[in-house]
Amino acid sequence: MDATTLSPDLSANLQSLQPLFADSSDVVFHPLTIEGSLHAELIYVENLSNLQRVEWGILTPLGTMSREDALTPGHIETTLPVGKVTVLCEQKAAVQSVLSGNPILLVDGLSSAFSFGLAEWSQRAIEAPPGENVIRGPHEAFNETLATNLATMRRRVRSTELKTPQLTVGLVTPTPVAIVYLQNLARPGLVEEVKNRLQSVRYEQIQESGMLEELLQDQPYSLFPQLLSTERPDVVASHLLEGRVAIFTEGTPFVLICPGNFYSFIQSPEDYDNMFKGTLSRWLRYLFMIIALLLPAAYVAITTYHQEMIPTVLLLTIAKTREQVPFPALVEALLMELMFEALREAGLRLPKQVGAAVSIVGALVIGQAAISAGLVTPPMVMVVAITAIASFMIPHYALSIPFRMLRFPIMLLSGMLGLVGLVLGFAVIVIHLCGMKSFGVPYFSLQRPQSLADTLVRAPSRLLSRRLFLSARNEKKQGQLKKQPAAAQGRNDHGNQ
Amino acid sequence: METSKLSALQLMLLLFITVFTTAEFVVPAPTALHAGSDMWFAPIWSIPAGIIACGLAYRLHRLYPGQNVMEFLPQLLGKIPGKLVGLLIVVSNLQIASLVLREYVEYIMGSFLDSTPMIVIAATVILVCAYAVHGGVEVLGKCSLIFVPLAVITLFVTLLFLLPDLEVRNALPFMENGPFPSITGSYVSQGWLSELWVATFFLPFLPARSRPLRAMVGTVFVTVLSLVLINSVSLFLFGVLTKELNYPILVAVRYVSYTNFIEHMEAAGMAVWVLALILKLSVFYYASVVSTARLFSLPNYQPLTLPIGGVIMTTALFLFPNRETMAKFLSTEAPVIFLSSNILLPLLLWVIAEIRRKPAGKGAPSS
């Protein structure tokens, strides 16, 4: 027997299927007969399907079906009261159907299996996005079920242009992945590029979109995130409208959006409520982003090499506190920053009940006690605290990680070379970012082409033209279509002269 | 051929910072020496040098579109003479790059890190530049969009704090001995403006429909204007004393004191100046690497980046025994060398190109 296609002989089919599901207590092989003589077999996974609907949608009607009707091609799939029936001819597809919760029906004499779309399992309710809270704005997040997430998306973007082709990724356990885009707006060539990259992923398993993210990046060795990940449907929707492509992964609420450019990581949905608030909070974010990266280094550099920059009164205060501290400023800064990173990491792992303990340890032991013991200076504690606050101000968590990590080498550099070291470190980062591309799009691309209107400030909505980030056609607000040859770039145009 | 990796604005910023970064330190003192109280407008006399350098780069770019000087040399002069002149250009670029690096090292060592070994200061910055050069023209162009405004705005805001201390009467008497002292005084800035010839390595990357000549001429005027500003501040602040100072602008920035809080801005000023210097060094570093790669007909310049960086660094360290020699060289010989390698040589190339074009290219497009 050919192992890949189903045969008309039921027993042969069962003979090849049963060993596959041997020792699987949750897989049910339910034999049934139609009109007393025609053998059939219903195969499903016990808790992955809606059993009630299996009963009245499949079992009950089959009990009253005649033998001739059942064997008539096209009869079963059109008459059974189930919304979605697929006819499968390949054994592999049938097995996948069972594993993803859709029961299959094999009938003796028919060389195909019927797969019923009755997959249903308990899933987490739609909750508020824990990592991306807003004060004003929708409070729904995605959950772990791909179908639910796609439905959420469909509800937000009610357009026939919204396309959601699916494919599977993962060698050992195939994970369904949907590419979601707006056909008329997506950057030309981007969808194919995403598809190609997804298809070329060779990896055993994809449990979370983070694993996928690393495999899809242009520069896997860069610290900076190149794909946005979000669990907010409104964020995905607005990025789709800007011409980006989203990747939905089964089993995780985090949706990947590509390409990610630098500025997209420091925008929050709330920026669009009010132009003044939007502009000011963006400036605040830019400022504190620099602080998150450079403040400890600048403190080290200035107190070690450039004391003359500090106003005299302040210098005296700092000098007085530094008098009794045994470490040089660099060691002190490294110690404190390390301690803070440890606290933050520990805070992630702690059960909620002991969370209070950590804040006590953090505030009292690290802050108060260390100062009174004369191990660190109060200004240093302040510097570390401000840096910590600053790093929490970046709206997308993914972008705060490189800033946390890069703080340390820059601190070392400025400990060795003063402000020169700090500037050299900063320059390396800028040079790195200037050379970076995500899916062929420069990392420093502005939110709107040729305009600082949605990057440096949040210009009034009325003035923000509809020429969006990288959409296929640049649409004016009045709906006139202006065609512009979009330069689709491949992924390998980096650096080669 | 690759195109549109660089916009006209990026080219403008790159060229501006290429001239201005070191000129702001080097130009005032020797100008003051020759021009005295006329030093503030002396840089205006260097406009022709800048325009000639830009015009030559542009004209040769139009005659050989999509090619930098190293690429069209063999067509222009033939194989062997082309290589020889190419070697000259390589050496000239290497020399400017090493000079820039040495200026940086001397400046940083002299004013901030006096006990750090020279080689550490040189090596760290050359590594940073190597990273930028490895990234190519596109990276340089984009960095210029970030670094140049930062550097320029910081400098001019700092100078703004000096406003109350400026003594405009220092500019008198005006043209006491006629225009010639100021013309003589402008020769250092002429040397620096001739560095604009380096544009030949960047013009091929501009998009087809941009107007580089306008951008370049704009650069000349903006640069000269900035130098006039710098010279004016030096003159109005220090008067005739300017010629005695090593880096008048550094002293001026150190002089800033505002409400007892904003004081000693030189470290902050130095920090942003380092950003600008990284760009300038990268421009000549890039020119050296690309021209060397072309000289040996290599398909890709990137493997040469670090070796050439080593050459630049070593040359820089052994170029002068001390800072005084360097300062003397910069204000006397250097402009002559710059003018000959950046104006005389291109001028010769252009004349040859025009002569060779005449008989064959009747239908050649004129611009």
Side-chain angles (χ1 to χ4, degrees):
Chain A
M1 193 201 86
D2 189 357
T4 57
T5 53
L6 293 163
S7 83
D9 182 14
L10 178 64
S11 55
N13 279 336
L14 288 180
Q15 240 165 26
S16 60
L17 283 176
Q18 260 157 350
L20 291 178
F21 292 114
D23 291 331
S24 308
S25 58
D26 50 344
V27 179
V28 178
F29 282 77
H30 180 70
L32 37 110
T33 48
I34 299 171
E35 238 190 351
S37 58
L38 182 63
H39 289 283
E41 191 92 9
L42 184 69
I43 310 170
Y44 60 94
V45 181
E46 222 173 330
N47 289 317
L48 276 186
S49 314
N50 186 332
L51 275 186
Q52 243 178 345
R53 292 189 58 201
V54 169
E55 267 162 34
W56 64 256
I58 305 171
L59 297 178
T60 321
L62 279 183
T64 59
M65 199 177 275
S66 71
R67 187 191 162 93
E68 292 79 54
D69 281 349
L71 288 176
T72 313
H75 185 80
I76 290 186
E77 59 261 43
T78 48
T79 49
L80 288 186
V82 174
K84 183 183 173 190
V85 185
T86 327
V87 182
L88 305 172
C89 298
E90 291 194 9
Q91 187 187 314
K92 209 175 150 193
V95 171
Q96 268 312 314
S97 164
V98 173
L99 289 176
S100 49
N102 297 322
I104 61 165
L105 178 71
L106 293 166
V107 181
D108 198 18
L110 290 179
S111 61
S112 52
F114 303 98
S115 157
F116 301 95
L118 295 176
E120 190 179 290
W121 54 85
S122 44
Q123 48 173 289
R124 197 163 61 93
I126 291 178
E127 288 162 3
E132 293 166 80
N133 271 324
V134 293
I135 295 188
R136 181 170 174 185
H139 286 298
E140 64 173 355
F142 290 121
N143 70 5
E144 281 77 7
T145 307
L146 179 61
T148 315
N149 294 346
L150 287 178
T152 315
M153 219 49 244
R154 185 63 80 179
R155 215 181 67 222
R156 283 196 171 265
V157 186
R158 296 178 198 191
S159 160
T160 51
E161 302 287 350
L162 183 74
K163 304 296 178 199
T164 60
Q166 279 196 26
L167 43 103
T168 57
V169 180
L171 296 177
V172 177
T173 152
T175 307
V177 168
I179 305 171
V180 178
Y181 59 96
L182 284 164
Q183 202 169 30
N184 55 344
L185 291 178
R187 183 187 165 89
L190 181 60
V191 178
E192 288 69 38
E193 179 67 26
V194 171
K195 206 172 280 181
N196 286 341
R197 289 198 196 179
L198 278 173
Q199 274 162 352
S200 62
V201 166
R202 294 271 171 276
Y203 204 63
E204 293 88 48
Q205 49 159 359
I206 301 295
Q207 295 298 346
E208 213 279 316
S209 53
M211 296 169 141
L212 210 53
E213 189 179 343
E214 192 186 320
L215 298 166
L216 294 178
Q217 281 174 349
D218 293 51
Q219 281 98 352
Y221 299 113
S222 172
L223 289 175
F224 284 82
Q226 291 148 58
L227 283 86
L228 275 161
S229 74
T230 179
E231 44 179 342
R232 295 183 61 89
D234 54 329
V235 170
V236 177
S238 67
H239 279 121
L240 291 185
L241 286 163
E242 286 180 1
R244 290 178 229 246
V245 171
I247 303 168
F248 284 61
T249 313
E250 171 74 55
T252 172
F254 289 95
V255 171
L256 296 176
I257 300 169
C258 49
N261 59 329
F262 185 75
Y263 301 107
S264 60
F265 288 95
I266 37 182
Q267 294 202 334
S268 152
E270 277 180 305
D271 292 354
Y272 293 90
D273 292 351
N274 177 310
M275 52 178 273
F276 302 111
K277 199 197 85 186
T279 301
L280 285 177
S281 52
R282 270 183 203 176
W283 289 353
L284 206 63
R285 266 177 237 145
Y286 290 130
L287 175 69
F288 275 80
M289 204 164 57
I290 299 289
I291 286 181
L293 183 67
L294 300 180
L295 184 67
Y299 181 79
V300 169
I302 291 176
T303 51
T304 318
Y305 291 91
H306 313 281
Q307 295 93 342
E308 74 279 359
M309 275 180 83
I310 311 173
T312 323
V313 185
L314 185 58
L315 182 65
L316 285 178
T317 322
I318 294 177
K320 219 181 293 167
T321 56
R322 283 212 54 81
E323 211 171 359
Q324 48 186 335
V325 173
F327 310 116
L330 173 66
V331 176
E332 197 189 346
L334 282 177
L335 270 180
M336 285 304 285
E337 287 291 342
L338 203 68
M339 212 49 237
F340 170 68
E341 291 299 327
L343 265 179
R344 165 140 72 178
E345 191 64 21
L348 285 179
R349 311 270 164 266
L350 280 174
K352 274 199 183 105
Q353 292 84 339
V354 265
V358 165
S359 45
I360 292 171
V361 170
L364 288 182
V365 178
I366 311 292
Q368 200 62 41
I371 291 172
S372 48
L375 292 176
V376 286
T377 58
M380 181 54 81
V381 174
M382 264 187 69
V383 165
V384 173
I386 294 172
T387 315
I389 292 171
S391 70
F392 286 120
M393 272 179 73
I394 299 168
H396 283 267
Y397 179 66
L399 189 65
S400 69
I401 295 169
F403 283 95
R404 276 165 61 188
M405 290 191 275
L406 290 169
R407 198 182 292 154
F408 290 91
I410 294 192
M411 259 189 274
L412 279 174
L413 269 173
S414 52
M416 290 187 287
L417 293 171
L419 279 181
V420 177
L422 182 143
V423 168
L424 292 179
F426 176 71
V428 168
I429 294 171
V430 173
I431 292 168
H432 172 71
L433 291 180
C434 283
M436 216 159 96
K437 285 198 170 139
S438 174
F439 287 85
V441 177
Y443 202 56
F444 268 142
S445 306
L446 300 176
Q447 285 301 98
R448 282 157 211 262
Q450 305 286 308
S451 150
L452 291 170
D454 200 14
T455 303
L456 194 61
V457 295
R458 216 285 276 153
S461 308
R462 225 173 305 182
L463 297 181
L464 282 181
S465 70
R466 293 293 300 275
R467 294 176 52 198
L468 292 167
F469 177 52
L470 30 72
S471 54
R473 292 170 219 159
N474 294 326
E475 205 175 347
K476 289 263 161 145
K477 207 155 198 179
Q478 289 78 19
Q480 313 157 329
L481 290 180
K482 214 173 104 186
K483 281 207 173 142
Q484 195 174 321
Q489 289 163 301
R491 70 182 289 191
N492 286 329
D493 53 358
H494 158 67
N496 280 333
Q497 283 299 115
Chain B
M1 190 191 100
E2 33 180 355
T3 44
S4 64
K5 285 200 153 186
L6 198 69
S7 72
L9 176 67
Q10 289 170 345
L11 177 76
M12 200 169 156
L13 291 175
L14 266 184
L15 291 180
F16 167 73
I17 211 68
T18 296
V19 176
F20 187 64
T21 311
T22 44
E24 63 174 305
F25 287 121
V26 175
V27 167
T31 315
L33 185 67
H34 295 279
S37 57
D38 287 343
M39 70 173 282
W40 64 275
F41 65 86
I44 291 176
W45 300 119
S46 49
I47 288 178
I51 292 199
I52 291 171
C54 290
L56 288 173
Y58 177 72
R59 189 65 199 146
L60 285 167
H61 163 67
R62 289 302 299 253
L63 290 175
Y64 297 93
Q67 290 179 316
N68 65 33
V69 63
M70 294 300 291
E71 282 158 341
F72 62 68
L73 265 182
Q75 296 174 41
L76 187 62
L77 301 175
K79 200 162 180 314
I80 302 296
K83 290 282 181 209
L84 284 176
V85 176
L87 187 65
L88 211 61
I89 291 173
V90 170
V91 171
S92 147
N93 282 323
L94 278 173
Q95 184 204 27
I96 300 184
S98 328
L99 264 175
V100 173
L101 180 60
R102 183 58 185 257
E103 283 167 61
Y104 165 83
V105 171
E106 288 296 345
Y107 168 63
I108 296 291
M109 279 188 59
S111 311
F112 299 100
L113 304 173
D114 41 11
S115 49
T116 312
M118 205 185 234
I119 191 162
V120 173
I121 298 177
T124 43
V125 79
I126 208 84
L127 280 175
V128 173
C129 292
Y131 190 34
V133 170
H134 186 85
V137 170
E138 210 180 344
V139 170
L140 289 183
K142 281 184 193 152
C143 287
S144 73
L145 282 179
I146 299 169
F147 291 167
V148 177
L150 206 62
V152 171
I153 291 171
T154 315
L155 177 68
F156 287 116
V157 167
T158 315
L159 294 185
L160 221 61
F161 286 118
L162 288 172
L163 222 50
D165 302 309
L166 295 185
E167 188 59 66
V168 184
R169 257 177 304 178
N170 284 345
L172 296 174
F174 180 69
M175 287 221 215
E176 194 184 14
N177 303 316
F180 292 104
S182 57
I183 295 179
T184 333
S186 76
Y187 82 103
V188 178
S189 47
Q190 288 186 28
W192 253 257
L193 273 157
S194 73
E195 284 181 356
L196 290 174
W197 158 249
V198 81
T200 178
F201 291 97
F202 296 94
L203 285 172
F205 295 100
L206 285 171
R209 273 189 300 162
S210 67
R211 303 167 77 176
L213 192 61
R214 224 167 56 159
M216 293 197 302
V217 171
T219 314
V220 173
F221 282 102
V222 172
T223 316
V224 167
L225 193 71
S226 312
L227 286 178
V228 165
L229 258 168
I230 293 290
N231 274 358
S232 308
V233 169
S234 314
L235 177 67
F236 297 163
L237 199 62
F238 303 114
V240 284
L241 268 180
T242 311
K243 61 173 183 281
E244 312 293 335
L245 301 167
N246 253 328
Y247 304 120
I249 275 306
L250 180 67
V251 183
V253 172
R254 201 173 277 165
Y255 192 76
V256 169
S257 173
Y258 203 73
T259 65
N260 281 333
F261 183 72
I262 297 170
E263 284 179 315
H264 289 288
M265 298 298 291
E266 73 268 22
M270 175 269 297
V272 286
W273 179 79
V274 170
L275 285 181
L277 184 116
I278 288 171
L279 274 182
K280 168 161 190 166
L281 183 51
S282 301
V283 163
F284 286 106
Y285 188 174
Y286 174 81
S288 318
V289 175
V290 168
S291 46
T292 313
R294 199 60 220 175
L295 186 67
F296 298 107
S297 308
L298 300 179
N300 186 355
Y301 76 85
Q302 280 164 332
L304 276 181
T305 310
L306 274 181
I308 294 287
V311 172
I312 292 175
M313 196 176 81
T314 329
T315 319
L317 295 183
F318 291 107
L319 214 47
F320 306 108
N322 52 41
R323 187 199 320 182
E324 284 63 41
T325 329
M326 182 188 83
K328 188 159 175 295
F329 176 80
L330 286 180
S331 56
T332 52
E333 288 107 321
V336 181
I337 297 177
F338 291 169
L339 283 171
S340 47
S341 63
N342 293 332
I343 294 207
L344 215 57
L345 179 67
L347 197 68
L348 276 173
L349 292 179
W350 172 66
V351 169
I352 296 171
E354 290 291 346
I355 291 170
R356 293 195 60 164
R357 193 175 67 109
K358 272 276 160 57
K362 276 234 165 84
S366 59
S367 53

